[in-house]
Amino acid sequence: MTAGRAATPRVDVIFFGAPGAGKGTQAQILSAQYGYRQISTGDLLRDNIQQETALGHAAASFMQRGELVPDDLIVEMVKDNLPPADAGVLFDGFPRTVEQAKALDDLLQSEGRGLPRAIYFYVQRAALEERLLGRWTNPRTGRVYHERFNPPKRDRVDDDDGGPLIQREDDRPEIVGHRLDVFERQTIPLIKYYDVAGSQRYLKIDAARPIATVTRELLDALESAPAVRTS
Ligand code: AP5
């Protein structure tokens, strides 16, 4: 835990960025240590696939190909899993299209909450590939490691629950390249949506730095963030 930091989440926050940019890593740290409630659409989808729900069946082939799951399915899933407004919610990997962003603004406003802040995790493409190809994941909890940058204490074993770590199917080299292309085509337009002069909604961070450095910058940004009430 970063010394001297208070657990005072005040606003809803979106983490967006390319696959491998570190959104999940930071969301896990902030929710475990600083009181944020995390909602990760990737984890929810993988849970649905594991439990063989109708949504899981509909989503699986998109995910295997490295495509985005259709907006209407994603928005419905987020509505069904939206945490209560008693703490700041951290949206990890949602929204990733402008349609999803509009739907989230509408949803939060219909619940009387302020508009969320959006933080863009920027990392160069070559580094993203290295991160994804070296990632190991606990399929039960979603906790992620990296064989070089963030290794578990024991090879391929989770530090928390001792369970086995796996490599995600969509982290295969042939799928990784396509996921990065999809990000550039479908998610980069979010920058224009959020980075509106005077709105104070948008922040770009250099997520290529070490994990603890990125966490510190996020905490600084979030602790000084005013709630955003209007677009
Ligand atoms: P999802 O699971 O959300 O995958 P993603 O967005 O592609 O993001 P990743 O989980 O790959 O990366 P991350 O940024 O969380 O990085 P991580 O922290 O793990 O989505 C999977 C699929 O589900 C999508 O392709 C799509 O099909 C579907 N989907 C999900 N949401 C959707 C939506 N809203 N709309 C439509 N479809 C949707 O870090 C990566 C690695 O790097 C790890 O090994 C980690 O240890 C390491 N690392 C992290 N930070 C650092 C650092 N600072 N320095 C060095 N290494 C680091």
Side-chain angles (χ1 to χ4, degrees):
M1 180 162 176
T2 308
R5 309 301 291 248
T8 52
R10 299 163 54 202
V11 291
D12 296 328
V13 184
I14 291 157
F15 283 175
F16 76 103
K23 308 176 296 292
T25 297
Q26 297 297 337
Q28 284 165 12
I29 294 171
L30 264 61
S31 59
Q33 301 184 1
Y34 298 98
Y36 281 88
R37 291 176 185 273
Q38 176 187 0
I39 173 167
S40 159
T41 44
D43 288 345
L44 288 173
L45 289 166
R46 283 183 286 276
D47 283 349
N48 275 275
I49 290 174
Q50 215 167 17
Q51 289 164 28
E52 302 189 4
T53 66
L55 171 61
H57 283 296
S61 66
F62 292 99
M63 294 174 73
Q64 277 155 11
R65 295 196 307 273
E67 301 282 348
L68 295 188
V69 175
D71 290 336
D72 54 338
L73 296 180
I74 294 289
V75 170
E76 223 29 61
M77 181 180 76
V78 170
K79 278 185 187 162
D80 289 344
N81 289 278
L82 188 68
D86 59 345
V89 175
L90 216 158
F91 295 91
D92 162 23
F94 172 85
R96 5 184 134 190
T97 65
V98 170
E99 279 313 303
Q100 291 180 18
K102 288 178 181 165
L104 180 61
D105 284 353
D106 290 347
L107 175 63
L108 294 179
Q109 288 196 300
S110 74
E111 303 227 333
R113 294 154 80 143
L115 293 174
R117 292 174 65 86
I119 301 184
Y120 171 40
F121 284 50
Y122 175 71
V123 179
Q124 281 191 339
R125 186 165 174 136
L128 292 167
E129 286 170 358
E130 186 180 9
R131 286 188 184 184
L132 292 171
L133 298 174
R135 171 165 61 184
W136 290 85
T137 305
N138 180 331
R140 205 180 61 77
T141 64
R143 180 165 175 186
V144 293
Y145 297 85
H146 190 279
E147 59 194 20
R148 187 168 148 223
F149 304 125
N150 184 24
K153 293 189 182 93
R154 280 197 295 149
D155 197 29
R156 300 184 190 183
V157 175
D158 186 81
D159 291 350
D160 292 333
D161 68 5
L165 302 177
I166 59 152
Q167 285 194 295
R168 271 171 45 178
E169 266 200 49
D170 59 351
D171 281 348
R172 283 177 291 143
E174 62 275 24
I175 307 294
V176 161
H178 185 59
R179 284 166 65 204
L180 295 172
D181 293 342
V182 166
F183 167 76
E184 281 162 21
R185 200 170 59 242
Q186 293 186 260
T187 305
I188 283 288
L190 284 183
I191 295 174
K192 221 171 177 178
Y193 181 80
Y194 288 121
D195 190 14
V196 175
S199 82
Q200 298 187 321
R201 298 185 73 179
Y202 172 77
L203 176 70
K204 175 180 177 179
I205 61 161
D206 173 4
R209 292 165 302 161
I211 292 172
T213 310
V214 175
T215 305
R216 272 197 301 278
E217 179 168 346
L218 288 171
L219 286 168
D220 285 343
L222 294 174
E223 283 174 3
S224 60
V228 182
R229 292 286 162 204
T230 61
S231 57

